[in-house]
Amino acid sequence: MIETLSLKTLTRRQLLSRGVAAGAGLVVGAGFVAGRDAAWATEMDAMKPESFATLVQMARDIYPHDKVGDRFYAAAVKGYDVPEEVDFAQEGLEMLDEAARAAGFDSYLAAGWEADRVAILRGIEDTEFFQRVRGGLVTGLYNQKEVWPIFGYEGESYSQGGYLYRGFDDITWI
């Protein structure tokens, strides 16, 4: 009997037993990518889960923040998991894996050290793929209100009277 469960009905134990580890902290299964701790998961619409896991790792390596969870990086690159973008992303990810193979790794995700992955990224940083992913991350990652407190940003100030009387002059280190 084949068990067909929606990602929404899986327990943490079921989720982890159905996936395989990929990258530093991702579990890839049939049609989904999840955090290894099963605290978050996203279902794939158009992209292969392995490709999405590579894209999440790439995003983390471009803008590394130890205190920002993978779920925020996944949300930032989820826009590539649509039919209109999947071919562009897949071609770019194949180029990335090819650069990783040239550096002696089986794939980009197989490069276990961040320094190795960054060196691979430096080799493709002039490509349209890299520039588009990097540029999209600026807004895709940092416009998520849930990450603002991690960086100490309190949000826009206009609705609260502006910055002049709300923190403009509270810098104590000058």
Side-chain angles (χ1 to χ4, degrees):
M1 178 174 132
I2 298 175
E3 184 179 17
T4 57
L5 292 173
S6 165
L7 183 60
K8 295 172 184 75
T9 62
L10 290 177
T11 66
R12 180 174 186 254
R13 183 176 303 271
Q14 291 169 323
L15 175 78
L16 293 175
S17 70
R18 285 169 172 74
V20 294
L26 302 175
V27 175
V28 177
F32 73 90
V33 174
R36 183 166 287 160
D37 61 0
W40 67 272
T42 186
E43 292 184 82
M44 302 292 90
D45 296 320
M47 188 176 277
K48 294 186 287 188
E50 298 81 9
S51 297
F52 191 76
T54 302
L55 196 56
V56 171
Q57 185 63 58
M58 178 185 176
R60 178 169 278 292
D61 291 335
I62 293 173
Y63 290 113
H65 299 289
D66 292 337
K67 294 183 180 184
V68 176
D70 285 333
R71 70 186 179 105
F72 298 111
Y73 289 97
V77 297
K78 184 68 173 155
Y80 292 100
D81 184 32
V82 294
E84 304 82 43
E85 295 290 330
V86 74
D87 288 338
F88 173 79
Q90 192 59 45
E91 288 174 17
L93 291 169
E94 287 170 8
M95 175 185 55
L96 182 61
D97 280 340
E98 182 59 39
R101 284 189 286 278
F105 301 99
D106 291 336
S107 67
Y108 182 74
L109 283 179
W113 294 100
E114 180 181 0
D116 293 330
R117 292 189 308 268
V118 169
I120 294 166
L121 289 175
R122 287 188 196 276
I124 68 158
E125 68 184 346
D126 292 330
T127 66
E128 179 187 357
F129 172 68
F130 179 89
Q131 291 299 323
R132 193 155 141 200
V133 171
R134 184 196 55 79
L137 283 170
V138 171
T139 55
L141 181 60
Y142 299 114
N143 277 1
Q144 297 179 57
K145 290 184 179 183
E146 294 87 6
V147 301
W148 293 353
I150 297 169
F151 300 116
Y153 178 60
E154 298 174 358
E156 60 84 24
S157 187
Y158 177 77
S159 64
Q160 299 172 17
Y163 289 107
L164 186 57
Y165 301 110
R166 201 181 150 265
F168 172 74
D169 59 352
D170 65 356
I171 298 175
T172 58
W173 50 269
I174 294 184

